[in-house]
Amino acid sequence: MTSPGPAKTGPALNDMTIFAGVLILIAGVLHLLAAIAAIAKRDLFVLTEDQVFQVNVSVWGWVHLVIAVLIITAGIGIVTGRSWGYWAGIVMASISLMDNFLFAPMYPFWSLVIIAIDVLIIWALARELGSEVAQ
């Protein structure tokens, strides 16, 4: 007789899961860095063709800090194989995507990089959840 293995807590950890987990942890760290930079630099001048806007980015930095903590929590859930981590990862990557879309006028390249990472995270997690449903 073979003894049963440990109870399954969520979807199996495979290459795609580890990929998504590592990417979401990287996105969390990038949000943390953006938060620190935004909190430290209170005013930012955005130049357009005919106007100059003064934007206080301190509040935006605190928003990034909250998002960073939630994204890192979801990433830990994914890497440890918790089923809630997959759904939290998709939700947090979606929120991160929208947040960076709004943040793009201030830091366009940075925002586009994180948006691309968020799309990859959503794709990888949705693929894994879809394969779990199919089984």
Side-chain angles (χ1 to χ4, degrees), residues 12-78:
L13 288 176
N14 57 27
D15 294 341
M16 192 59 67
T17 305
I18 299 300
F19 174 74
V22 169
L23 269 184
I24 202 164
L25 289 171
I26 290 170
V29 169
L30 291 176
H31 272 282
L32 188 63
L33 293 174
I36 292 168
I39 292 169
K41 187 177 186 179
R42 297 198 182 268
D43 289 328
L44 177 72
F45 293 97
V46 179
L47 302 173
T48 62
E49 284 186 27
D50 55 350
Q51 296 176 344
V52 175
F53 297 101
Q54 183 177 5
V55 180
N56 185 333
V57 294
S58 181
V59 173
W60 205 257
W62 289 105
V63 169
H64 273 279
L65 185 64
V66 169
I67 290 172
V69 169
L70 293 173
I71 287 176
I72 291 171
T73 303
I76 291 169
I78 292 167

Side-chain angles (χ1 to χ4, degrees), residues 34 38 57 60-61 64 98-108 110-111:
V57 294
W60 205 257
H64 273 279
M98 289 183 285
D99 174 58
N100 279 289
F101 180 74
L102 296 173
F103 199 60
M106 290 176 257
Y107 295 107
W110 182 272
S111 294

Side-chain angles (χ1 to χ4, degrees), residues 88-102:
I90 289 173
V91 168
M92 289 312 303
S94 299
I95 290 172
S96 170
L97 195 144
M98 289 183 285
D99 174 58
N100 279 289
F101 180 74
L102 296 173

